[in-house]
Amino acid sequence: MATERTFSILKPDATRRNLTGAINAKIEASGLRIVAQKRIHMTTAQAETFYGVHSERGFFRELVTFMTSGPVVVQVLEGENAVAQYREVMGATNPANAAPGTIRKEFAESIEANSAHGSDSTENAAIEIAYFFSGCEIVG
Ligand code: CMP
């Protein structure tokens, strides 16, 4: 198995409810290491670019509004098969379908306010990490 990095966002619903520590505890309990982390308030332009792949979807405008509605915590996670591992820790996008014990099952409010984002591939992880972090901000 390969050591990988993935990109994570703890979303505005998580920061609003003071849940970043509880979510980080689940991340670290899974064996993933938080090798970079910062709290930011995304601009509309940043959110639109980050979620550009969804720009034709009906939920795009609401998604951008939600992601800029409060602070987020952006992170780089490192570990064995980190991309797939974190998707497992997060659970299904829609919390109604998420497995017990996952971040989204325990914390998400809705499919939009679903507490966490994780990259869907190593290629996208590299793009997403580079969008928010410079190399010297990542300390493995
Ligand atoms: P995320 O992993 O951040 O990637 C895109 C986000 O769009 C997704 O998580 C959801 O929070 C959000 N979203 C809102 N509505 C939908 C929907 N109907 N289908 C998929 N994703 C949605």
Side-chain angles (χ1 to χ4, degrees):
M1 289 205 278
T3 297
E4 286 175 357
R5 285 177 175 172
T6 192
F7 177 73
S8 162
I9 305 177
L10 309 186
K11 296 188 180 186
D13 67 284
T15 60
R16 177 170 45 79
R17 290 175 292 149
N18 227 12
L19 290 172
T20 61
I23 295 174
N24 278 348
K26 278 194 179 295
I27 290 170
E28 292 188 331
S30 80
L32 291 166
R33 305 183 74 82
I34 302 166
V35 296
Q37 174 169 259
K38 58 189 174 189
R39 184 173 172 105
I40 63 169
H41 197 138
M42 271 197 225
T43 64
T44 298
Q46 282 174 329
E48 285 173 347
T49 301
F50 180 78
Y51 280 119
V53 66
H54 296 303
S55 62
E56 302 303 317
R57 309 283 293 271
F59 58 81
F60 179 69
R61 195 41 53 194
E62 276 187 23
L63 175 61
V64 169
T65 299
F66 170 65
M67 291 301 291
T68 58
S69 68
V72 300
V73 176
V74 290
Q75 304 175 308
V76 181
L77 310 181
E78 186 175 88
E80 296 289 314
N81 292 316
V83 171
Q85 166 79 0
Y86 189 43
R87 292 180 77 77
E88 186 115 1
V89 173
M90 287 190 298
T93 304
N94 186 342
N97 303 326
T102 61
I103 291 169
R104 285 162 170 167
K105 185 66 176 185
E106 289 203 8
F107 302 123
E109 297 179 310
S110 65
I111 192 169
E112 178 177 87
N114 65 354
S115 303
H117 162 84
S119 308
D120 62 5
S121 66
T122 53
E123 293 76 15
N124 283 337
I127 293 166
E128 294 175 357
I129 289 168
Y131 191 58
F132 285 106
F133 290 96
S134 64
C136 61
E137 291 179 303
I138 303 168
V139 183

